Amino acid sequence: MIVDIDTHLMHMKDCILGQSTDLARIITEEQDARYPELKRVELDLFPLRIELVELYGACLGMTEEQRVFVLKEWGERAGTHTARMQQITIDMMLREVPHYRNTIGSVIKYEAQKLNLSANELYDVIDVLDRSINDVVYFFSVPFVRHDKEQLAFSQQMVVELSVPVVSINDDIAILPLIGSMNSERSRVLQERALTEASRLQIKHLIIDLSGVQTIDTFVAQQLFSLLDALSLIGVKGTVSGISPTIAQTLVHLGLDFGKVGSYSSLKRALTVIQSN
């Protein structure tokens, strides 16, 4: 009697679904042995593992279009949930893939022997499983990558904000010391943070100290002047101190003049003049 591949696939599907909890437990034990730290989140991961085993089994009875749709939906949901679990990395999750392949593959191999499947028939069944696993790896990884990018962007933003500190000297005066290189992103944060902090502190003078900045480009210089103009609009007098010879040459070359707002060679000199007025 000739039995078509769909019948074999449905048989394998039923066998895997009937053992999903046991198969998930085997995978959990293997992963916990590799990563003992995962035991702390085992209760959260175990239902996902059962769900994934069942998904692999169900995929054996789906068309390719159905399989891709279902796996994409699962990967987005499960990947997003897992990525937010701080103890888990994408490396840990990708290292689970062989466990699913081997554990489910063992069931398929056992059933294939019982059914006396030919090598070609067994290959057709395994091929569906392999394509399902490959799709899961991709769709599950996408939310992880997106989450990592979001976390990196957040960390970079925090670093930039911390590199633009507004330090209050007294009720009227605050200093904004800048150190290192200035780029467009840091200039943007400089604008926002300086104005926000000046307004919050209700100061009258803000000294922008450039002693720790070696060079600035045209865009940054123009942003600095825009900041000084914006400060004046909220009633804060902006002053610049610590201009290096290199920066001074850049400003002269650009035709920019700090004469209207006041500039000093050092922070000490700027504070002395402002406090004496």
Side-chain angles (χ1 to χ4, degrees), residues 17-259:
L17 292 179
Q19 304 175 56
S20 59
T21 300
D22 292 335
L23 296 176
R25 187 171 290 110
I26 293 172
I27 292 168
T28 297
E29 290 172 355
E30 292 174 341
Q31 269 295 82
D32 286 352
R34 180 189 291 267
Y35 298 108
E37 61 268 34
L38 288 181
K39 291 182 180 180
R40 291 176 293 181
V41 290
E42 184 177 308
L43 292 178
D44 292 318
L45 290 177
F46 190 63
L48 288 175
R49 287 171 175 147
I50 294 175
E51 186 178 0
L52 183 54
V53 170
E54 293 176 344
L55 195 58
Y56 282 138
C59 284
L60 295 177
M62 297 180 186
T63 65
E64 183 172 357
E65 183 178 358
Q66 291 172 330
R67 187 184 72 250
V68 171
F69 176 82
V70 170
L71 293 181
K72 182 177 181 181
E73 184 181 62
W74 183 89
E76 177 65 28
R77 175 172 52 81
T80 300
H81 172 74
T82 311
R84 292 171 180 168
M85 300 171 69
Q86 296 182 352
Q87 302 95 328
I88 296 177
T89 65
I90 185 63
D91 174 70
M92 291 177 178
M93 293 297 96
L94 291 181
R95 284 183 179 273
E96 283 203 10
V97 173
H99 299 320
Y100 287 95
R101 194 185 305 273
N102 295 337
T103 304
I104 296 175
S106 295
V107 174
I108 292 175
K109 179 181 177 181
Y110 177 76
E111 293 299 323
Q113 291 173 337
K114 286 173 54 179
L115 296 173
N116 198 29
L117 298 188
S118 67
N120 286 338
E121 290 171 327
L122 175 59
Y123 174 83
D124 288 339
V125 175
I126 292 296
D127 180 58
V128 176
L129 175 64
D130 281 343
R131 281 185 283 145
S132 299
I133 290 175
N134 291 339
D135 285 339
V136 163
V137 168
Y138 175 75
F139 293 127
F140 185 84
S141 298
V142 169
F144 258 96
V145 174
R146 183 173 63 244
H147 179 76
D148 285 346
K149 286 182 177 180
E150 291 172 353
Q151 290 299 105
L152 177 60
F154 177 76
S155 298
Q156 290 174 333
Q157 179 68 16
M158 290 296 293
V159 170
V160 171
E161 290 182 2
L162 289 173
S163 70
V164 186
V166 177
V167 183
S168 179
I169 300 300
N170 55 40
D171 291 341
D172 296 329
I173 305 172
I175 301 172
L176 199 168
L178 298 176
I179 299 174
S181 61
M182 294 294 297
N183 53 33
S184 58
E185 176 61 18
R186 195 176 178 196
S187 297
R188 181 188 65 79
V189 175
L190 170 63
Q191 289 263 12
E192 296 175 357
R193 188 167 178 78
L195 291 171
T196 300
E197 288 298 287
S199 177
R200 183 182 68 82
L201 295 171
Q202 296 185 335
I203 55 175
K204 296 179 180 178
H205 298 273
L206 177 64
I207 303 173
I208 302 173
D209 185 58
L210 304 178
S211 301
V213 178
Q214 296 302 312
T215 59
I216 58 176
D217 60 21
T218 302
F219 177 79
V220 173
Q222 292 173 337
Q223 288 289 91
L224 186 56
F225 269 80
S226 296
L227 171 58
L228 294 169
D229 288 338
L231 286 169
S232 67
L233 293 176
I234 62 172
V236 177
K237 181 173 177 56
T239 301
V240 179
S241 68
I243 298 178
S244 68
T246 303
I247 293 178
Q249 290 176 352
T250 301
L251 296 175
V252 170
H253 178 72
L254 296 174
L256 301 175
D257 181 14
F258 278 120

